[in-house]
Structure formats: structure tokens, C-alpha cells
Amino acid sequence: MFEGFSPIVQALQGTLFTWGLTALGAATAIFIRGNHRIILDSSLGFAGGVMLAASYWSLLEPALEMAASLETYGKDGEWSFIPVAVGFFLGAFFVYGVDMVMMRCGVENPVHDFYFQEAPRYNLRRRKARSGSNEEGFPEQEQELDVEMKENSTVDDQQKLMDTSHWRRILLLIIAITVHNIPEGLAVGVGFGAVGRTKSATFESARNLALGIGIQNFPEGLSVSLPLKAAGFSTWKAIWYGQLSGIVEPLAGVVGAALVTWITPILPYALAFAAGAMVYVVVDDIVPESQAAGNGKAASWGVVIGFIVMMSLDVGLG
């Protein structure tokens, strides 16, 4: 990222960097065999800690300073919390709305679905479809699948049912992670668009935000590729779909930088919107998911370490 470039170009460079780290995180599936859920949970916790720290130091603090500098919000900035609170709420509500849409599509927690439902069920279906077996005695979560398969008279029908359900879950997994990457791309773009508007809105803070988002994108890439690999995908296919989840960030980053560059008054709202969206993702998705498999302590320490790393980057690098 070059300091002399326009905010839009800087935002593009920053979000290409974050996308690259998403791909790198997805690629670590090469070295991981089996489920290794504890690795994913501690990584998700780390990502949550990074996002929480970035939300304050790189987004909310500049937003408050920016609002305080505008006469609209009081002579001494006593009403500066209003645009920040409104933006924060709208950001959280945006992610909430997306989650509601995803639930209507039939997925509430895509990573959880893959680890505890799709992976064992897919592997079972593949074995049964190959052998034509109709054995009884499978676990409870597989009984519904068994009933569906028994209604089909041929192995080809069973294979077709398996493929349709499997690909639907894959699509929902990728869409869910991708949509949740939009606020991160916006945050980087808005960060660069805000450079120079307040004392804390510097090129260094925007660069640090991009670095922090990139670091937390590493486990996010893994959170797509690892469940896919556990569900029976080849390593390279799992990596391919994992990196696709971050492809939306460059687009969101450019849009965010362009908006705040052209429409200055929305800057406090935009910074707070990105912060609200990220905090909601952490509280509603990342933290519960990281604790769902009984690895709560590892996930919690991941949050602490991630927060310290991002805080240190922001303070130590300017």
C-alpha cells in the first residue's frame, strides 16, 4: 500500500491483501488432516479478538473524533455520540438482516452444520450409495436421511439426493461467510477514505486496520476450507472455495472508500456502521460457533490474544 495513492486505490490494495490472507488461511487445509475442531475454534476466537480491537481503535475512535469536529453535533461535540450510535446500530442491524435471510434459506450456522451434520452424513451417504446398503442402527441425526434414501429405489436416486443436499449446504456455507466479509471490506475502505479527516484517522491507522483484518481473515479462510475437507472434498477444491469467501472484500472496500470520499458527512456513520457490523458478527456468530464444540477455553484465550495483537499493532505501528 503506497501512501501517495488515492484512497480508492489504497482501499483496493488493502482489501486485495486481506483477500490474499483469506486464501492463505484456506490453503493451510493442506497440512491439516481430520477435523481438528479445536484448531478452528481457537482460530475463530483469535479472529474475534482482532475484530473487537479493530472496531474501537480503527473505527469508533476516529468516528467519534470526526463527529465531534462537526458543528452539527454541538459546539463542544457533546452530541457526537448520535451519528456513531446510529451508524453502529445500522451496521449491527444489517448483519442481523442478513442472518434472517440465511435462516429462511435453511441455514442457521453453516460451519456447525458441516462439522456435526454434513460431514458424517455425507460420508455415510457416499458409503451407502456405493454399496447399496440399507443397514439400520445409524445415529439419530442420520435417521431422517435414512428415511429419505429408503424412499428411493435405486442407487442412482440415492446418489442424486446426496449430491443435491451436499451442494446446497456448500453454497450456503460459502454465501454465509462471504456476506459476513462485506463489513470487513467496507471497514478497510472507509478507513482509507477517512485518512486526514481527524487526528486519529491517519494512513497508519488505516494500514493497521487492513493488516488486522487480513490477520483475522486467515482463520476465516480456514473456517471454510476445513469443514469442506472434513465433508469429503478434495484438498484443492476445499481451498478454492475457501478463498472465494474473501473475494467480495475488494469490491466492498472500493465502494466504502468511494462513498466516504465523495460524501464527507457520512464518514462518522460509515465508520460506526463498519464497527457495528463487525461487533455483531463477533458476538452473534464467531463467539458462539467457537464454543459450540466444547473448546470454549481455547476460543476465549484466542479472543484475548487476538485483541492484544491488534491493539499492539495499532499502537506500536502508529
Side-chain angles (χ1 to χ4, degrees), residues 60-80:
L60 288 178
E61 185 181 23
L64 286 167
E65 286 186 9
M66 219 165 287
S69 68
L70 300 174
E71 293 183 2
T72 309
Y73 304 110
K75 189 176 295 185
D76 298 318
E78 60 268 25
W79 302 107
S80 60

Side-chain angles (χ1 to χ4, degrees), residues 41-53:
D41 289 339
S42 56
S43 297
L44 287 173
F46 179 87
V50 169
M51 291 171 73
L52 287 176

Side-chain angles (χ1 to χ4, degrees), residues 170-229:
I170 292 166
L171 181 62
L172 290 173
L173 171 69
I174 295 170
I175 289 174
I177 302 297
T178 299
V179 168
H180 286 164
N181 278 341
I182 293 176
E184 297 165 14
L186 283 173
V188 175
V190 170
F192 281 108
V195 169
R197 309 299 175 90
T198 70
K199 183 179 178 180
S200 62
T202 63
F203 171 79
E204 288 75 18
S205 68
R207 176 202 62 198
N208 296 342
L209 176 61
L211 183 59
I213 295 295
I215 291 172
Q216 69 90 29
N217 272 3
F218 187 91
E220 280 194 0
L222 184 62
S223 73
V224 178
S225 64
L226 202 56
L228 290 178
K229 187 176 179 181

